[in-house]
Amino acid sequence: MVRLKYSAIAKLFAIFFCVVFILPSFFKLFDSQADFNENENHPRNLDRFKNSNNQDSPNRYGDNPENAAVFKEGIIGNYEPKLEPRSGPGEGGVPVHLQPEEKESADRTVREFGFNMVASDKISLDRRIKDTRPGECKYWHYPEISKLPTASVVIVFVNEGWSTLMRTVHSVLNTSPPELIADIILVDDYSNKEHLKDKLEKYIERFKGKVKLTRTTKREGLVRARVIGAEIATGDVIIVLDAHCECVTNWLPPLLTRIAVNRKTLAVPIVDGIDWNTMEHTDIYGNSLNRGIWEWGFLYKETQVPDKESKMHKQYSEPYWSPTHAGGLLAIDKKWFFELGGYDPGIKIWGGEQYELSFKVWQCGGIVEWVPCSHVAHIYRGPRTESVHPPGGNPHQTSINHMRVAEVWMDEYKEYYYIREPQIRRLDYGDISEQLAIKQKLQCKSFKWFMENIAYDLPKKFPLPPKNKVWGECVNQKHRVCLDVRGAGFGQPIGVSGCHHQLGNQLFRLNVEGELSSGEHCFVSDKNIVKKKFCLNYEGIWNPVGEWQYDNENKTIKSSKEKTCLSTDGSNLTLEPCDNSNLNQKWEWKEIYY
Ligand SMILES: *[C@@H]1O[C@H](CO)[C@@H](O)[C@H](O)[C@H]1NC(C)=O
Ligand SMILES: *[C@@H]1O[C@H](CO)[C@@H](O)[C@H](O)[C@H]1NC(C)=O
Ligand SMILES: [Mn+2]
């Protein structure tokens, strides 16, 4: 079988692209040569061919296809390090178990930092974790050092534990070619812990200037602090990592290569897990490729890479397009990041920033890619009780952040967010004129384009929500109690409780399709109870049961499935034969706005 190598195909197409661009009349000529595509025996060639005539599609092969990685079966990649075996607690990513007498102090550190620092402190700052990459990753060859951009790693922290923070720094340096790391920028967002003061400054002297520390003079919040770090970065590429990460071998060149191919690529590593209690490293995804999406309330979700995308790739481990990403870990060209306005300065503290960045990257001519051969492990925090929320911050800041994203980038699709979160609609999201000006200046595409061409798999899982018919607090007329999820798990009954006007568990929506929901959850009848249900079926497809009708005149909520009505005696919620004169069955909806 004759098959051209990836780089050869890319070159061929680069030439082809120029020809089409310079001499449009050639296009017809190629168009008539059907066998041009068939010879390549690869589905993506056909697509590329189509794309060359389609102004609307991003150029998958980038402006510098000659920089693309090359897969050489059986030939170890040019950046694969030779690793000496190591031994010690936690080496190889295995769990660390404590003695019973250590438990109390360990629990104290969990409450303070969200991590078991007693376990973490036993592990070398230079420990090596597992190689969780797909097996074929070691056969990729990346451009030589001089052809790759340099990286500045920006790490924001506030009151972080010592060993988890410093292991992040050690890990970055231990797993990267030194020439590719311009600097590591630690941004201290106004910590007050002693170990992060002089001790930290002294400690990083050993890195001879490569690790820089900057401190904010007030709590700025994660998003703003990242931009402060990015501004002083000296590398070509900004790599954002959380302050409690460990990198898997050879994670960096695969990310930088994607930016060397197309400087407008937002390259995202695959995020592994580290257990907050034992520091055990695990591969979260196992044998599947996933990409980032969201439900319409902007809860971050992931879904398997759709066939349409997989078909574009010859090797399983090739980078693939993703609508968005989880937010904590990413690589982006510094210049491109600031051309896009960095993060919107109106997006504060935390939340929504990954959507903002992903949407504007896609809509303004870039690409968001997940890179299967770049794995970085992140410690998911345990039950921390010490708050790091900036004092005086708006309690609805995350909603405001989401509103700004919706208002600037989502065009008519912003309505779906407001249908899902109707209570936020009157919050003041501030001035967005600068963001709109960037959108105008960069001639960014519509959100519809983005949905149809990039996030086309999202509506299967999270369909555009139908309009609400009624929403808010649902008060029983006789007993003055409110419908309440009452912390029900899936399959468990929901109930009623005293109305507290705080929404949360008492905020329900009943839409024109007859679906009853609260937050992202759905509710269905089951004989004489109402139970919580996962809105997706076992295949992960949206599975609504539109069984509910609200009768505006008689104030009843009727289940068409059970032919019964919602009823309460003041403490229990049941389904009873409908009786329009029974006050136990009369409910009023009260819209409540933040
Ligand atoms: C309300 O109840 C009355 C009395 O049972 C009934 O006649 C009427 O049709 C009901 N209204 C609706 C909209 O079902
Ligand atoms: C009604 O609610 C009470 C407590 O709220 C519970 O103990 C009781 O089992 C419930 N009765 C029924 C019939 O579900
Ligand atoms: Mn984190």
Side-chain angles (χ1 to χ4, degrees):
M1 183 171 60
V2 182
R3 252 192 179 168
L4 292 181
K5 287 271 187 288
Y6 182 39
S7 69
I9 295 170
K11 271 185 194 137
L12 191 62
F13 277 114
I15 294 162
F16 173 64
F17 227 68
C18 294
V19 169
V20 170
F21 182 72
I22 297 161
L23 291 172
S25 59
F26 268 51
F27 188 76
K28 273 207 160 64
L29 201 126
F30 279 109
D31 205 13
S32 62
Q33 293 180 344
D35 59 354
F36 179 83
N37 295 305
E38 282 157 18
N39 282 346
E40 300 295 328
N41 188 25
H42 193 284
R44 73 173 169 202
N45 297 324
L46 187 64
D47 229 82
R48 180 72 195 283
F49 192 78
K50 282 185 194 147
N51 287 355
S52 63
N53 195 28
N54 181 356
Q55 295 277 310
D56 262 5
S57 253
N59 175 0
R60 193 177 276 270
Y61 302 89
D63 299 327
N64 299 294
E66 72 281 4
N67 286 339
V70 181
F71 186 76
K72 298 180 185 172
E73 183 88 62
I75 301 175
I76 293 291
N78 56 337
Y79 283 93
E80 287 298 310
K82 287 200 184 61
L83 300 171
E84 299 301 326
R86 291 181 55 91
S87 63
E91 281 298 335
V94 300
V96 170
H97 297 291
L98 301 183
Q99 300 302 315
E101 64 270 20
E102 294 172 301
K103 188 170 182 323
E104 201 184 307
S105 53
D107 287 350
R108 210 173 319 121
T109 62
V110 172
R111 288 194 295 274
E112 184 174 355
F113 300 105
F115 310 130
N116 182 341
M117 298 307 296
V118 176
S120 175
D121 290 350
K122 289 184 193 290
I123 301 169
S124 165
L125 296 181
D126 294 311
R127 86 148 159 184
R128 191 184 307 136
I129 53 175
K130 291 174 194 147
D131 185 352
T132 46
R133 301 171 302 167
E136 63 182 43
C137 287
K138 54 180 169 297
Y139 303 121
W140 281 102
H141 295 251
Y142 301 99
E144 60 193 74
I145 298 267
S146 65
K147 298 240 171 72
L148 287 177
T150 59
S152 284
V153 179
V154 174
I155 298 169
V156 173
F157 65 91
V158 53
N159 290 340
E160 196 74 29
W162 173 264
S163 55
T164 45
L165 174 64
M166 293 323 298
R167 194 175 297 109
T168 307
V169 173
H170 279 242
S171 173
V172 166
L173 294 170
N174 288 340
T175 55
S176 308
E179 305 90 330
L180 292 178
I181 302 283
D183 44 32
I184 295 179
I185 296 164
L186 299 175
V187 185
D188 172 14
D189 191 14
Y190 213 54
S191 299
N192 54 27
K193 294 204 188 287
E194 211 46 49
H195 66 260
L196 299 170
K197 294 181 177 169
D198 292 354
K199 181 184 175 189
L200 178 57
E201 281 166 34
K202 276 271 172 323
Y203 188 86
I204 62 173
E205 281 171 11
R206 74 189 57 200
F207 300 114
K208 309 219 164 13
K210 199 152 206 178
V211 178
K212 296 165 186 159
L213 173 66
T214 185
R215 302 190 196 265
T216 61
T217 51
K218 62 173 191 344
R219 276 301 300 283
E220 295 283 357
L222 178 66
V223 180
R224 175 69 199 136
R226 277 184 191 167
V227 177
I228 290 170
E231 278 164 351
I232 60 177
T234 61
D236 305 311
V237 167
I238 307 293
I239 295 188
V240 173
L241 295 184
D242 262 14
H244 31 266
C245 288
E246 294 176 59
C247 308
V248 169
T249 187
N250 204 7
W251 66 289
L252 184 61
L255 293 178
L256 297 178
T257 296
R258 298 313 297 166
I259 294 167
V261 169
N262 177 350
R263 76 172 193 94
K264 294 185 177 175
T265 300
L266 170 63
V268 182
I270 306 302
V271 185
D272 292 350
I274 296 178
D275 184 87
W276 57 267
N277 191 31
T278 64
M279 301 291 137
E280 181 181 18
H281 171 213
T282 51
D283 177 5
I284 292 176
Y285 298 99
N287 236 345
S288 75
L289 297 179
N290 294 272
R291 56 187 212 160
I293 54 172
W294 64 92
E295 58 81 51
W296 293 98
F298 276 135
L299 294 173
Y300 175 72
K301 302 287 175 182
E302 288 177 359
T303 183
Q304 283 211 351
V305 172
D307 286 349
K308 181 173 164 186
E309 178 61 27
S310 306
K311 282 196 189 122
M312 304 299 283
H313 305 285
K314 188 167 172 180
Q315 297 300 141
Y316 174 81
S317 58
E318 276 178 38
Y320 54 85
W321 287 3
S322 176
T324 186
H325 67 112
L329 290 70
L330 63 100
I332 189 167
D333 179 83
K334 177 176 175 177
K335 202 161 156 280
W336 173 230
F337 180 62
F338 285 108
E339 280 165 27
L340 290 168
Y343 287 116
D344 167 5
I347 289 181
K348 291 184 184 144
I349 306 179
W350 180 88
E353 78 281 357
Q354 84 269 39
Y355 303 122
E356 195 232 1
L357 192 56
S358 313
F359 294 172
K360 66 184 175 185
V361 163
W362 276 120
Q363 288 174 252
C364 308
I367 284 172
V368 179
E369 275 181 343
W370 286 27
V371 184
C373 288
S374 179
H375 276 237
V376 176
H378 166 259
I379 317 178
Y380 288 89
R381 235 183 260 283
R384 186 189 211 175
T385 51
E386 193 175 299
S387 170
V388 292
H389 199 79
N394 188 326
H396 303 302
Q397 188 61 51
T398 300
S399 299
I400 291 170
N401 294 349
H402 290 155
M403 285 172 91
R404 292 182 68 89
V405 174
E407 292 288 339
V408 176
W409 296 103
M410 292 172 74
D411 310 324
E412 70 276 17
Y413 284 75
K414 73 183 178 189
E415 276 309 314
Y416 300 113
Y417 174 54
Y418 291 125
I419 289 172
R420 166 70 173 73
E421 294 277 279
Q423 73 282 11
I424 64 151
R425 192 168 205 131
R426 296 181 187 166
L427 290 173
D428 177 9
Y429 57 81
D431 181 10
I432 56 168
S433 55
E434 263 182 54
Q435 276 52 54
L436 293 173
I438 289 167
K439 191 177 175 185
Q440 177 76 29
K441 182 175 164 218
L442 298 177
Q443 305 205 331
C444 306
K445 296 187 191 92
S446 69
F447 201 76
K448 186 167 194 287
W449 170 86
F450 172 66
M451 287 304 299
E452 287 173 355
N453 292 276
I454 310 301
Y456 48 81
D457 51 338
L458 185 150
K460 275 185 217 124
K461 275 204 155 176
F462 302 106
L464 308 176
K467 283 203 162 54
N468 296 318
K469 189 169 172 203
V470 283
W471 68 272
E473 232 179 32
C474 184
V475 192
N476 182 266
Q477 274 198 348
K478 179 163 178 204
H479 302 284
R480 307 313 294 177
V481 290
C482 278
L483 211 55
D484 195 311
V485 180
R486 298 193 65 132
F490 294 118
Q492 291 177 345
I494 63 168
V496 290
S497 67
C499 301
H500 51 53
H501 317 294
Q502 302 280 311
L503 300 176
N505 267 353
Q506 293 187 348
L507 173 68
F508 285 81
R509 309 183 306 278
L510 203 170
N511 69 29
V512 295
E513 300 285 337
E515 298 161 29
L516 179 66
S517 29
S518 178
E520 62 170 325
H521 298 127
C522 298
F523 303 96
V524 296
S525 64
D526 186 0
K527 303 197 182 72
N528 72 334
I529 60 158
V530 182
K531 63 179 189 185
K532 176 158 138 182
K533 182 180 181 300
F534 199 51
C535 304
L536 308 181
N537 70 10
Y538 65 96
E539 289 173 306
I541 307 291
W542 186 263
N543 186 26
V545 182
E547 66 175 297
W548 305 101
Q549 273 87 45
Y550 183 60
D551 173 350
N552 259 318
E553 188 186 325
N554 291 305
K555 314 266 182 236
T556 54
I557 301 172
K558 187 187 255 175
S559 160
S560 58
K561 180 173 152 244
E562 300 288 343
K563 313 266 185 267
T564 48
C565 283
L566 270 196
S567 178
T568 184
D569 58 6
S571 56
N572 299 58
L573 181 71
T574 52
L575 283 164
E576 308 290 345
C578 294
D579 171 0
N580 285 330
S581 63
N582 186 344
L583 286 181
N584 283 354
Q585 298 186 8
K586 290 192 186 286
W587 303 85
E588 264 167 10
W589 291 84
K590 228 165 60 203
E591 296 182 358
I592 295 182
Y593 292 92
Y594 287 149

